[in-house]
Amino acid sequence: MGRAFVYVIIGGGVAAGYAALEFTKKGVSPGELCIISDETVAPYERPALSKGFLLPEAPARLPGFHTCVGANEEKLTPNWYKDHGIELILGTRVESADVRRKTLLTTVGETIAYKFLIIATGARARTLEEIGITGSDAENVCYLRDLADATKLVNMMGKCTGGKAMVIGGGYIGMECAAALVINKIHVSMVFPGTYCMGRLFTPKIASYYEDFYKSKGVNFIKGTALSSFMFNSTRKVTGAFLKDGRYLPVDMVVVGIGACPNTSLFKDQLKFENGGIQVNSRFQSSNTSVYAVGDVASFPVKLFGDTRRLEHVDLARKSAKHAVSAIMEPRNTSDFDYLPFFYSRVFSLSWQFYGDNVGEVIHFGDFSGTKFGGYWVNEGRLVGCFLEGGGNEEYEAIAKAIRLKPVVKDLSKLQRDGVDFVNEV
Ligand code: FAD
Ligand code: NDP
């Protein structure tokens, strides 16, 4: 049993949704495009899962956050795919791929042939078992990657009001879920091995602002140690956690956010890999010319910094998807991808954005006892990155524009004196 399409996308997440919209803009014909996703719902804006979806009042729910509402574009409901003749195969996993034959095999035994393939399989949550701890199967241990995880987390929070949660990991998931747990009136302890939260991006000074803010909301930070094992009751519910430093924490629920692993195993030994992802050129084309990779799985050239990176953020997923579709459908009119890395988060009343690269010397600016502050990164005499908490749209736009130019900075103290106004003069 089999079907053939001109274009096939594996994965039905953020990149798939933005790619679908771009295909229709470029004039795909009905019956030419197919999306295969192991999720049971049409592509949606994944960032909503750790923000609006977890709110106790007026929470975000589908169909409200299908792609592409996050970029203020059309909302692609299941009917939209039908109306555009796009085959949306949901609840179906691609089990194997053969890039030489240009075929995919799904879990229901169907072979799907393609002329062009876009890999948009994203990432999965790293599990406790991968760091040597058992317990992921317990009913009160939650991860957060997809709608099913988010639904389990919401149900668990509903049962634990007034109780105690342990958040394992102090990265994006840890910080955003800790805030949501507090808002749901649950006491939170956060455990992570580093000396400060968000170690991949924040400086100690920036991290201490957020940690103080979280502490003011009652969050207990347990840093420099890790989970050793869980205590279970007779129904295999976690009731407590032993830490490597010997401490014991009684818990009602656990949220795990210890990193993500790109879903690339289908293509092992078939495509070239780099930075833990699928190596692509500046048109998101892999080492096989019929296969493109976008979003979390793609390791792509970042022209601005002269290297290649794999980024696990939504802005890249959206833009890489559009670019790949353009490269496939209008190769002559598609220039090389020229990306400015952009990350953001929103928790409680706080909101930050980061543009560029966090390497080199850091110059902090603004009011760290107030609501607006940030940091500049200067590498080899040039301004390469900027973080700003509490900025306005115009300021973030000016930062993005300035960082793209990588201006030479002669006087570092001017960055501190001028603060965010510095970028207006670039
Ligand atoms: P995904 O959106 O993960 O989609 C991958 C899809 O492929 C999924 O539907 C998956 O089920 C499917 N799939 C995988 N393997 C197969 C297979 N073999 N067969 C069929 N289907 C398959 N980034 C930000 O910049 N800002 C944020 O605020 C933010 N918040 C986030 C909140 C959460 C809870 C999470 C988990 C991530 C967040 N991110 C955020 C990161 C951002 O969502 C990802 O970078 C983005 O979703 C990547 O898009 P993608 O399409 O590559 O992968
Ligand atoms: P991150 O990589 O952001 O953070 C992982 C965290 O796990 C770090 O704090 C790390 O600590 C900690 N850690 C590592 N090993 C252990 C351990 N043995 N015990 C306890 N903690 C450990 O990954 P997340 O899981 O937070 O996020 C998953 C994905 O979701 C990422 O792709 C992320 O980009 C994405 N996401 C993005 C958001 C955004 O952009 N706003 C929001 C939500 C998710 P340390 O640093 O101290 O080693």
Side-chain angles (χ1 to χ4, degrees):
M1 163 169 127
R3 279 185 280 178
F5 296 87
V6 183
Y7 314 104
V8 173
I9 302 173
I10 319 184
V14 172
Y18 282 78
L21 183 59
E22 192 67 12
F23 268 118
T24 61
K25 287 183 183 171
K26 300 278 185 225
V28 76
S29 301
E32 284 187 335
L33 171 62
C34 161
I35 297 175
I36 311 166
S37 175
D38 61 1
E39 291 195 76
T40 52
V41 291
Y44 57 87
E45 302 284 357
R46 201 163 302 281
L49 297 182
S50 55
K51 303 173 189 66
F53 196 87
L54 302 182
L55 294 178
E57 273 163 40
R61 289 290 178 265
L62 288 175
F65 59 97
H66 279 301
T67 55
C68 301
V69 292
N72 293 323
E73 296 201 62
E74 209 174 334
K75 181 161 70 184
L76 316 184
T77 60
N79 276 339
W80 180 90
Y81 293 89
K82 248 185 231 145
D83 294 347
H84 288 82
I86 297 171
E87 188 71 31
L88 192 53
I89 305 178
L90 297 177
T92 304
R93 203 170 167 70
V94 173
E95 204 167 55
S96 65
D98 184 336
V99 301
R100 212 171 39 84
R101 292 204 166 102
K102 299 191 181 188
T103 57
L104 307 171
L105 180 67
T106 71
T107 35
V108 295
E110 185 178 23
T111 299
I112 292 185
Y114 60 82
K115 192 164 167 224
F116 292 98
L117 177 68
I118 298 183
I119 306 168
T121 43
R124 62 170 178 82
R126 188 152 77 110
T127 64
L128 288 173
E129 284 68 17
E130 286 170 280
I131 58 165
I133 291 159
T134 54
S136 294
D137 57 332
E139 70 166 82
N140 58 344
V141 171
C142 301
Y143 289 85
L144 186 52
R145 183 70 209 181
D146 58 22
L147 189 66
D149 294 336
T151 306
K152 175 175 173 180
L153 179 54
V154 165
N155 290 338
M156 200 45 64
M157 288 195 298
K159 291 181 188 163
C160 291
T161 312
K164 293 185 176 69
M166 176 178 169
V167 172
I168 305 171
Y172 286 96
I173 291 286
M175 293 301 279
E176 294 187 5
C177 288
L181 287 157
V182 167
I183 293 167
N184 281 276
K185 300 193 168 34
I186 295 167
H187 303 282
V188 178
S189 291
M190 284 185 78
V191 179
F192 51 89
T195 50
Y196 58 92
C197 69
M198 291 287 293
R200 284 199 289 152
L201 179 65
F202 288 3
T203 65
K205 189 175 168 77
I206 292 174
S208 88
Y209 178 92
Y210 291 94
E211 289 182 14
D212 287 346
F213 191 94
Y214 275 56
K215 283 181 205 161
S216 76
K217 301 279 182 189
V219 174
N220 173 29
F221 283 87
I222 303 176
K223 303 187 275 187
T225 188
L227 175 67
S228 170
S229 62
F230 287 130
M231 173 85 103
F232 298 94
N233 70 7
S234 57
T235 62
R236 206 170 157 72
K237 224 173 140 179
V238 172
T239 54
F242 295 100
L243 306 186
K244 288 200 169 137
D245 66 3
R247 271 184 269 190
Y248 174 78
L249 297 179
V251 297
D252 298 301
M253 65 178 287
V254 177
V255 179
V256 185
I258 54 171
C261 310
N263 294 319
T264 55
S265 57
L266 289 172
F267 300 95
K268 192 170 169 274
D269 302 327
Q270 300 197 68
L271 300 175
K272 282 194 183 154
F273 279 66
E274 181 182 49
N275 302 319
I278 296 166
Q279 184 191 80
V280 294
N281 61 19
S282 53
R283 306 165 83 77
F284 292 94
Q285 191 175 35
S286 76
S287 51
N288 179 303
T289 53
S290 308
V291 180
Y292 290 69
V294 295
D296 284 5
V297 294
S299 172
F300 67 99
V302 181
K303 210 164 142 183
L304 192 63
F305 297 121
D307 57 14
T308 61
R309 296 181 190 194
R310 197 178 61 75
L311 301 176
E312 296 170 351
H313 292 279
V314 75
D315 180 64
L316 187 265
R318 292 170 181 157
K319 289 179 178 157
S320 60
K322 284 183 172 189
H323 200 87
V325 172
S326 176
I328 292 169
M329 294 194 70
E330 291 179 350
R332 285 203 191 85
N333 297 334
T334 306
S335 51
D336 287 348
F337 193 61
D338 186 6
Y339 188 62
L340 173 68
F342 163 53
F343 319 138
Y344 71 90
S345 184
R346 290 190 300 272
V347 283
F348 296 116
S349 54
L350 306 174
S351 172
W352 60 258
Q353 297 192 10
F354 172 85
Y355 293 87
D357 207 0
N358 60 330
V359 292
E361 195 169 341
V362 187
I363 296 92
H364 294 103
F365 61 84
D367 181 6
F368 275 76
S369 57
T371 56
K372 192 167 167 188
F373 61 86
Y376 287 116
W377 278 258
V378 176
N379 195 30
E380 295 172 353
R382 286 178 178 275
L383 183 62
V384 294
C386 180
F387 174 98
L388 178 64
E389 163 64 45
N393 286 344
E394 280 179 18
E395 286 166 323
Y396 289 124
E397 275 167 30
I399 289 170
K401 220 166 122 194
I403 299 296
R404 267 203 175 279
L405 298 171
K406 289 197 298 183
V408 171
V409 179
K410 292 208 178 91
D411 174 10
L412 294 186
S413 65
K414 188 167 164 52
L415 290 174
Q416 196 200 356
R417 275 196 316 275
D418 290 0
V420 70
D421 292 339
F422 181 89
V423 294
N424 293 321
E425 294 164 28
V426 173

